[in-house]
Amino acid sequence: MTEPSISAEIHRPAWPSSGLVLVAPGGVSPGDGSRLAGWLGLRPLACAADQQGDPHGALAQLAAEAQGWLLPLGLDPGAELAQPGCWSEALGAWRQPVLLQLPASEAGSGLARAYAALLATAGVPLVGLVQLGEPWQPERRRVDGLPWLGWLPTEAPLAGSLEEEAVEALRLHLLARWQLSSARGAEPAHPMP
């Protein structure tokens, strides 16, 4: 049996948890999820329509997946399901790290604050917010007081372009915040006396 090369070990990402769920108001399109997964170096997963109605069952299946995945949730995380509850409650119960994606047109709106608050109330480890499309206004996003990670182009960026730089900056911010979020998630909610 041969040992893996050192370069293979260096380039293998060390994910802080097994994966991320990508959520958005109204749900995430599979195309947006696959594109983001590819840019971040994560494996895109799909959640069948029948699985989306049972978040606890879907999250139990995700727990068995190998590390390094991204699941775009096709449903609104706050939508009431046929069985009592919603995805945000299940994500919080499972302490599943989440990315919140918003279109550029909604980035400065109350919608970003409302969904961040929904996830926080449910105890969901929110890694950060991602803006889909331009214009990216970092000064205005800092004023929001939300954990914005950056923005992504709506199409594949050209090599050496500002869009490619934005994708790389987002990837680095995401990894740092994901590690921080996972470390916080491992801590008990209430200190023991």
Side-chain angles (χ1 to χ4, degrees), residues 25-51:
V28 178
S29 76
D32 284 348
S34 292
R35 195 169 36 253
L36 178 60
W39 289 335
L40 297 176
L42 297 168
R43 190 174 72 260
L45 296 180
C47 190
D50 61 329
Q51 291 177 316

Side-chain angles (χ1 to χ4, degrees), residues 86-177:
C86 61
W87 266 90
S88 61
E89 293 169 354
L91 291 165
W94 282 80
R95 302 294 299 151
Q96 173 58 56
V98 166
L99 281 176
L100 174 57
Q101 174 183 284
L102 289 131
S105 61
E106 300 291 341
S109 72
L111 197 59
R113 286 181 193 83
Y115 275 82
L118 168 76
L119 296 170
T121 300
V124 178
L126 177 60
V127 173
L129 287 79
V130 176
Q131 177 181 303
L132 185 60
E134 292 187 86
W136 173 242
Q137 300 170 321
E139 299 81 23
R140 294 184 92 178
R141 297 298 67 88
R142 278 191 286 278
V143 172
D144 292 343
L146 297 172
W148 287 98
L149 298 170
W151 72 281
L152 289 171
T154 54
E155 296 179 11
L158 299 173
S161 67
L162 289 176
E163 290 85 3
E164 186 179 55
E165 289 176 20
V167 169
E168 181 60 16
L170 175 74
R171 190 182 68 72
L172 294 172
H173 287 130
L174 169 67
L175 187 56
R177 289 284 314 215

Side-chain angles (χ1 to χ4, degrees), residues 52-78:
Q52 290 188 34
D54 178 15
H56 289 284
L59 289 166
Q61 288 181 347
L62 288 175
E65 285 287 333
Q67 280 193 327
W69 52 262
L70 180 111
L71 173 72
L73 183 60
L75 297 176
D76 189 293

